[in-house]
Amino acid sequence: MRPRLALVIPTYNEAANLPRLLRRLHRALVEAGACIEVIVVDDGSPDGTAAVAERMAPTLRPAIELRLLQRGAKRGLSSAVIEGWAAADAQIPFLGVMDADLSHPPELVPVLLEALQQGATQVAIASRNVPGGGVLGWGMGRRATSWGATLLARPLTMVRDPMSGYFLFDRTLLRGRFLQPVGYKVLLELLVRARPARVVEVPFLFADRTAGASKLGARLYLTYLRHLCGLYGARMRLLGQAGRFVLVGALGVVVNLALLWGLVLLGVAPLPAAVGAFALAVSCNFALHRTWTFEPTGSGRRYLHGFLRQYGRYVGGSVLALGLNLLVLALLLQGGLALLPSQIAAIGSATGVNYALARGWGFLSG
Ligand code: GDD
Ligand code: MN
């Protein structure tokens, strides 16, 4: 029987856990009549994890074809997992990952695999956040952190447990995709970059490790935030240039109104306040357009030179757009249209002209 799944088990100092994990996994697979490839990716664990894996390999066949990938030095969880998948036998249709420290019950592997084989889903996740799932032995602090981290990722995915380190998926999801090995959250990376249409979550109880130490330190929280920023950036890039332009414009309206309101509260007359609000909003928009909407260009003195010229052009374009806004508004009002639809049409035409000017004259020309 050919293996249908290549399961990566990343290890760093798991010599005390690996034998028990592999034996339980073996038993579950034999019971289910399944056979898989396991790729242990070890980063030169000083406790001899690699030797343990090698010694056990012959005892696990034929249910488990165990391969060992040794990377010499500790290079991080995500990169270990991604390298493991890259090393998997190309004929195998499903890939997966689980921890070596017995936090993830191996008995679930056949269940997750079955879900994939039925063809109704592209990703099968062992989840703590669906009914029947949960965590054992976590204090309030760790629960709160995990909850917060999941909440921050909520706009990126509807999956209840996108932080899970235990999941299987259809390898065609990776076709033409590049996963970036940042931090610990490989599943989140996969969900955002590959955008699977169908996902199932199978509940499980996450048990805290009893042997060895977690490799998760404070630095990893920062890494997670960096990872999130990258993923949000990638998601926004899908908007396209015009979409980003409109989004920044909408933000500019908020900035404009906030400053106008603040200045008027401070006693500034409405008209000079509006000029100040316009100036700040246009400058904010300029900064965002320059660094995000349009790709940044040039460097050093040329960069500064380009900066001032671009700024001048952008402000000029925005003043023209404002003029057009007022003109269209006045004409439509005179024609008898109500204020709200008139101003919406006016903003629409002004935004269009502003975009065309910013593109052709401000940011993308020399
Ligand atoms: N090869 C390699 N290299 N393996 C590593 C490395 C590394 O740099 N760092 C950790 N591992 C291995 C560990 O040996 C273990 O098998 C697995 O990756 C998870 O590491 P832990 O240190 O036990 O992580 P954790 O328990 O804090 O986090 C787990 O739970 C989180 C959910 O709370 C992981 O599954 C996370 O992915 C998950 O988000
Ligand atoms: Mn763990």
Side-chain angles (χ1 to χ4, degrees), residues 99 101 103 206 209:
D99 290 352
D101 60 359
S103 290
F206 184 100
R209 60 162 73 237

Side-chain angles (χ1 to χ4, degrees), residues 9 15 42 50-51 101 123-124 143 145 173 185 209 238 242 251 263 271-272 288 291 294 313 325 332 341:
I9 304 184
D42 186 65
D101 60 359
V123 188
R143 274 173 202 271
T145 320
L173 272 181
K185 309 302 176 193
R209 60 162 73 237
L238 294 178
L251 193 74
L263 288 176
L271 270 170
L288 283 171
T291 52
F294 303 94
R313 286 174 174 182
N325 182 328
L332 291 178

Side-chain angles (χ1 to χ4, degrees), residues 5-10 39 41 77-78 80-82 85 94-100 104 109 112 124-126 164-169 184 186-187 190:
L5 165 70
L7 181 70
V8 169
I9 304 184
I39 303 164
V41 184
L77 175 54
S78 286
V81 175
I82 292 168
W85 288 336
F94 304 117
L95 303 177
V97 57
M98 78 182 298
D99 290 352
H104 297 154
V109 168
L112 296 170
I125 302 168
S164 177
Y166 189 10
F167 59 95
L168 315 183
F169 63 98
Y184 253 44
V186 203
L187 175 58
L190 178 77

